[in-house]
Amino acid sequence: MLDYTFQFGQIVPYLPRLLDGAVVALELAVLSFCGGLLLGTVGAALLTFAGGVVRRIIGWYVSFFTNTPQLVQIYFLYFALPDMGIVLSSFTAVLLGMTLNAGAYLTEIQRAGFESRRQSEMEAAEVLGFSRVQQIRYVILPHVARVLFPPLSNHFILMTLGTSMAAVFGVEELTGQALNINSVTFRSLEIFSVTALLYIAVTLVASALLAVIGTTVFRARMRMF
Amino acid sequence: MPRLVINGLEARYGSLKVLDGIDLDVASGDVVGLIGPSGSGKSTILRTLVGLTPPAAGSVEIDGEHIDYAKPGDVRRLRDRLAIVFQQYNLFQNMTVLQNVMIAPTKIKKRAAAEVREEAVRLLAKVGLADKLDRYPDELSGGQQQRVAIARALALRPEILLLDEVTAALDPELVSEVLDTIRVLAREGMTMLIVSHEMGFIREVSKEVVFMDAGRVVERGTPAKIFDAPEEARTRDFVSKILRH
Ligand SMILES: Nc1ncnc2c1ncn2[C@@H]1O[C@H](COP(=O)(O)OP(=O)(O)OP(=O)(O)O)[C@@H](O)[C@H]1O
Ligand SMILES: [Mg+2]
């Protein structure tokens, strides 16, 4: 049995700070996901259609970022770049690190989508007079969006949870705020259980929103929860 | 006047010679039926004509204009005049029926959307799908999808329509609705080159039937000649085998 008296009353005054932290976490997740999506789309398109050298370079990028811990990647940006005269705020360093990392994962995920494109649909488009770029724009990307919406949504949720790593660099997102409050109040169990609930709330709302967008806009096959 | 003239057309897949000197012509307003055993190269002829498979030799002329398949400009112009419908429909799965028909005229040919829409709706009504405009392909039967594919091809106002086994993937009860659509086009004077295993249909709509085997044209003539009095043994063999089914 847990021999502990929960005293949630003590942390109520700090709730607004936790909520602020949740907003920062979402900001980080959304911005790095969007940046990563852009990188990943270009990366996957190049992996599918470009020539050998470009493909090899993208392959290195993907292997590097998917085979090293994200924490180490951000440390590297945070400590190595200043030596080259580039000084980043901790928020920017984390954002940049998460974006590059997401770009690598989303390249991998989207490549599968590009490979699932139907050759026959491309041929139909070709004989209707579509250029290669028009085929990508009108036929492949909508198909890829549809097929990939569920796995991309999952990755976004993982990234939202992954933002807690930013606390290590002093970014005041949800986990960072929780650590701050903990060092003042020492009500660790209360603080971290509320923090966990906030993460759950954020991810549930995000999943539901994504499912609605996915099924209506992209006709993706996904479930609400 | 002959509209489509093919001379000595050759095509290969790697070292395999799939078309071995094909001579064929289709006059304006005529329907030519192309028949032959599986693997004889019927699909390859159509794919070569629309520039999906590069020819290894030979010449193709449309209305006296020579097509150089190595020139992207020639191929682009060619695709304004020739349309193809495939066995597997190949509709764009992410678009509704109406969008499938409208996309090439609006996005590629940059015609005004309102005008294209009107024409697309008329074409879809003609193929019997006026009530399916906003459906997605995966909500339609194979026969309906194939009729959308025909409407999509017609939306570019092609001068010549190539049909490759457009009923072969369909359940038997859906074949006739697609054949009816093609009959209407034939009556309206659409120039067509039709590959099909539906011998009764080929016999009925074709002005001329071409029998090919192993990458060559073996025999050509009126439907009556090819089906009732073929001169070549291979034609006789094929026709008797297939008519017995
Ligand atoms: N992509 C390809 N790569 C290699 N060989 C091919 C390819 N497509 C077709 N072939 C070969 O070319 C030959 C002609 O094929 P084609 O599809 O033109 O025949 P077909 O007359 O249309 O046959 P079917 O009645 O079965 O559709 C066949 O021997 C086939 O195996
Ligand atoms: Mg074929």
Side-chain angles (χ1 to χ4, degrees), chain B residues 6-13 15-24 34 39-49 53-58 60 212-217:
Chain B
I6 303 167
N7 270 311
L9 191 66
E10 292 183 13
R12 351 174 130 256
Y13 286 114
S15 60
L16 180 71
K17 201 178 227 181
V18 177
L19 298 182
D20 190 10
I22 298 287
D23 300 324
L24 194 69
L34 187 53
S40 56
K42 307 179 295 293
S43 296
T44 306
I45 292 184
L46 301 196
R47 292 176 57 85
T48 305
L49 284 175
T53 301
V60 174
M212 64 180 292
D213 189 15
R216 291 168 169 277
V217 171

Side-chain angles (χ1 to χ4, degrees), chain B residues 38-39 41-44 87 164-165 195 197:
Chain B
S38 184
K42 307 179 295 293
S43 296
T44 306
Q87 174 175 338
D164 191 3
E165 308 268 18
V195 172
H197 280 121

Side-chain angles (χ1 to χ4, degrees), chain A residues 118 120-121 123-130 134 138-139 142-143 146 219 221, chain B residues 47 50 52 79 84 86 90-95 103 107-108 136 138 152 156:
Chain A
R118 283 153 289 206
S120 56
E121 271 184 57
E123 282 189 350
E126 190 184 336
V127 295
L128 287 169
F130 289 56
Q134 286 168 328
Y138 293 113
V139 182
H143 164 74
R146 183 181 180 205
R219 300 203 321 127
R221 296 194 170 90
Chain B
R47 292 176 57 85
V50 296
L52 287 174
R79 287 173 176 164
I84 184 168
F86 302 95
N90 302 351
L91 294 179
F92 305 127
Q93 297 294 322
N94 58 295
M95 299 177 204
I103 182 154
K107 302 295 184 198
I108 313 303
Y136 284 90
D138 57 13
R152 179 176 70 177
L156 286 176

Side-chain angles (χ1 to χ4, degrees), chain A residues 34-222:
Chain A
C34 290
L37 195 59
L38 205 67
L39 286 178
T41 307
V42 173
L46 289 175
L47 269 186
T48 313
F49 300 114
V53 180
V54 176
R55 280 225 299 267
R56 199 142 353 113
I57 292 171
I58 306 233
W60 286 334
Y61 161 63
V62 170
S63 319
F64 177 76
F65 278 93
T66 54
N67 289 300
T68 50
Q70 181 157 24
L71 201 54
V72 173
Q73 294 160 15
I74 300 174
Y75 266 121
F76 184 81
L77 291 172
Y78 195 58
F79 292 112
L81 288 182
D83 284 347
M84 301 186 231
I86 306 167
V87 180
L88 301 176
S89 72
S90 44
F91 182 87
T92 317
V94 172
L95 179 59
L96 188 62
M98 287 190 67
T99 303
L100 289 172
N101 183 278
Y105 276 98
L106 299 181
T107 296
E108 267 300 273
I109 293 176
Q110 293 191 81
R111 178 165 67 147
F114 273 80
E115 277 165 6
S116 77
R117 75 192 185 284
R118 283 153 289 206
Q119 193 59 40
S120 56
E121 271 184 57
M122 311 252 307
E123 282 189 350
E126 190 184 336
V127 295
L128 287 169
F130 289 56
S131 67
R132 178 44 66 87
V133 171
Q134 286 168 328
Q135 288 175 41
I136 293 178
R137 165 141 158 48
Y138 293 113
V139 182
I140 301 182
L141 283 184
H143 164 74
V144 169
R146 183 181 180 205
V147 173
L148 292 183
F149 200 85
L152 291 177
S153 301
N154 289 341
H155 198 75
F156 174 73
I157 300 296
L158 282 179
M159 287 175 67
T160 307
L161 298 177
T163 54
S164 70
M165 197 179 29
V168 174
F169 301 90
V171 176
E172 297 197 317
E173 44 63 69
L174 186 44
T175 304
Q177 291 286 17
L179 289 170
N180 289 343
I181 298 164
N182 185 47
S183 66
V184 182
T185 64
F186 299 106
R187 307 300 323 177
S188 310
L189 285 186
E190 287 87 343
I191 290 161
F192 288 107
S193 52
V194 170
T195 301
L197 282 178
L198 279 175
Y199 274 115
I200 293 174
V202 167
T203 51
L204 281 187
V205 170
S207 308
L209 268 178
L210 288 169
V212 169
I213 297 173
T215 43
T216 55
V217 180
F218 296 108
R219 300 203 321 127
R221 296 194 170 90
M222 58 199 304

Side-chain angles (χ1 to χ4, degrees), chain B residues 92 94-104 106 133 136:
Chain B
F92 305 127
N94 58 295
M95 299 177 204
T96 63
V97 164
L98 189 58
Q99 287 166 343
N100 262 283
V101 178
M102 285 180 65
I103 182 154
T106 53
L133 302 182
Y136 284 90

